[in-house]
Amino acid sequence: MNKRDSIIKAALNLFVENGFHGTATSKIAQEAGVANGTLFQYFKTKEELIVTLYTNFKEELALYVANNTAVDANIKDTIKTNILASLYWALDNREKFRFMQQFHTSPYHGQLELETLRKYEEPHLQLIQQGINEGAIKPLPVDLLYALMLNQVFGLYQFMTSKELSKTEQSEVVETTFEMLWGMIT
């Protein structure tokens, strides 16, 4: 593993464990096995490191969702596979997802350029707009519907990681909660 990757791995672990403000860059460097100055060769500031981690993980999630979403299906199935892909990525990448949750409620979220935020949201917003245009989804503000769907993933993730469920129970919970969401937005 190269030094940059070691820094990213150490930062992820420490940020999730101690929070952004509770993690000093010197501790990240120590955990990564590099000098503090080396960290700053790759990331000018702690804020840059935090934002870089977030955008890297968002990119990874976006690629996973794109590769695992039904595109030739009806709007309901397309949205369902989109939501399920997000959930399954989160369950397979718990530390990264926890970091992203922390980021969403932190002041760093406001430091992202609107263009960067929209880059990751745009495919979801277009899908929702398509559903509205087709008459399958209620004509509500697209951003509201997106927030409801995003929070569905967050809530389902929280529930599933706090319970010991069999695969059958997991499938039932996922199916039931998606149908509840779909019923709410249609």
Side-chain angles (χ1 to χ4, degrees):
M1 182 179 312
N2 67 36
K3 290 178 183 182
R4 186 178 191 279
D5 290 342
S6 294
I7 292 167
I8 287 173
K9 185 176 187 297
L12 172 62
N13 295 336
L14 291 169
F15 288 142
V16 168
E17 185 178 321
N18 304 315
F20 298 132
H21 299 297
T23 302
T25 55
S26 59
K27 181 70 173 161
I28 295 169
Q30 179 184 9
E31 185 82 15
V34 300
N36 204 32
T38 302
L39 184 147
F40 292 112
Q41 288 178 351
Y42 292 99
F43 305 98
K44 293 180 180 121
T45 64
K46 180 177 168 180
E47 290 76 19
E48 182 182 317
L49 172 60
I50 291 168
V51 170
T52 298
L53 262 68
Y54 178 77
T55 55
N56 285 353
F57 301 153
K58 265 311 243 193
E59 191 68 38
E60 185 180 319
L61 171 59
L63 184 61
Y64 183 86
V65 169
N67 289 334
N68 290 282
T69 296
V71 288
D72 293 332
N74 62 45
I75 194 69
K76 179 181 179 181
D77 289 340
T78 303
I79 289 174
K80 183 177 183 178
T81 58
N82 192 291
I83 289 173
L84 294 181
S86 298
L87 174 65
Y88 292 133
W89 182 90
L91 291 169
D92 289 342
N93 296 277
R94 292 179 185 204
E95 199 170 38
K96 292 176 182 178
F97 192 69
R98 283 189 57 211
F99 175 89
M100 291 170 65
Q101 287 178 306
Q102 284 176 302
F103 187 89
H104 273 270
T105 58
S106 77
Y108 299 108
H109 191 265
Q111 293 180 11
L112 281 178
E113 294 179 15
L114 187 57
E115 181 180 308
T116 301
L117 285 173
R118 284 295 179 190
K119 172 185 172 185
Y120 299 113
E121 293 175 350
E122 197 58 38
H124 307 290
L125 300 175
Q126 288 175 357
L127 187 58
I128 294 166
Q129 188 61 58
Q130 177 187 341
I132 292 170
N133 293 346
E134 291 177 6
I137 296 176
K138 291 177 184 172
L140 296 169
V142 173
D143 286 346
L144 170 63
L145 293 165
Y146 177 65
L148 291 172
M149 291 178 188
L150 189 61
N151 284 309
Q152 173 89 9
V153 173
F154 286 161
L156 195 49
Y157 169 85
Q158 291 302 122
F159 179 79
M160 292 181 75
T161 56
S162 69
K163 306 283 184 204
E164 289 192 29
L165 304 171
S166 69
K167 292 288 184 192
T168 301
E169 290 170 324
Q170 287 178 0
S171 294
E172 289 171 2
V173 167
V174 167
E175 188 64 34
T176 300
T177 55
F178 177 77
E179 289 303 323
M180 286 174 24
L181 172 69
W182 189 252
M184 182 176 61
I185 66 173
T186 60

